[in-house]
């Protein structure tokens, strides 16, 4: 499963009306809403899949053992 589904809203001020309804740009706003729902559903579906996969993996191994959190300084994140 790719980690590619992100929600990008270019020109968000133009993509939606003030009340949050998708702007069809002169076309049917209902069709625009359907396109946005399908677009967002793809991302949410992948997020749900990754959450379930992470939950299942945590049941097998604690990720904090192999990759403990940085706690001292931001420089800990630097590459060697």
């Amino acid at each position: 499963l790719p980690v590619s589904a992100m929600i990008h809203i270019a020109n968000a001020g133009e993509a939606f009306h003030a009340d949050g309804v998708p702007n069809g740009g002169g076309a049917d706003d209902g069709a625009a809403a359907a396109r946005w729902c399908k677009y967002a559903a793809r991302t949410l579906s992948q997020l749900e899949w990754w959450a379930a996969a992470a939950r299942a993996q945590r049941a097998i191994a604690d990720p904090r053992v192999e990759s403990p959190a940085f706690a001292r300084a931001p420089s800990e994140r630097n590459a060697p």
Side-chain angles (χ1 to χ4, degrees):
L1 185 66
V3 187
S4 60
M6 294 183 275
I7 298 176
H8 300 277
I9 304 175
N11 303 312
E14 297 171 15
F16 296 92
H17 295 293
D19 61 1
V21 174
N23 182 357
D28 177 25
D29 285 346
R35 285 192 308 275
W36 277 107
C37 285
K38 182 178 178 182
Y39 182 62
R42 178 174 181 263
T43 295
L44 296 174
S45 174
Q46 284 192 12
L47 179 61
E48 183 179 21
W49 188 96
W50 279 107
R55 186 180 318 109
Q57 183 60 29
R58 274 193 312 271
I60 297 168
D62 185 346
R64 293 167 292 212
V65 172
E66 292 295 321
S67 181
F70 297 122
R72 293 185 307 252
S75 62
E76 289 180 285
R77 294 174 182 83
N78 294 347

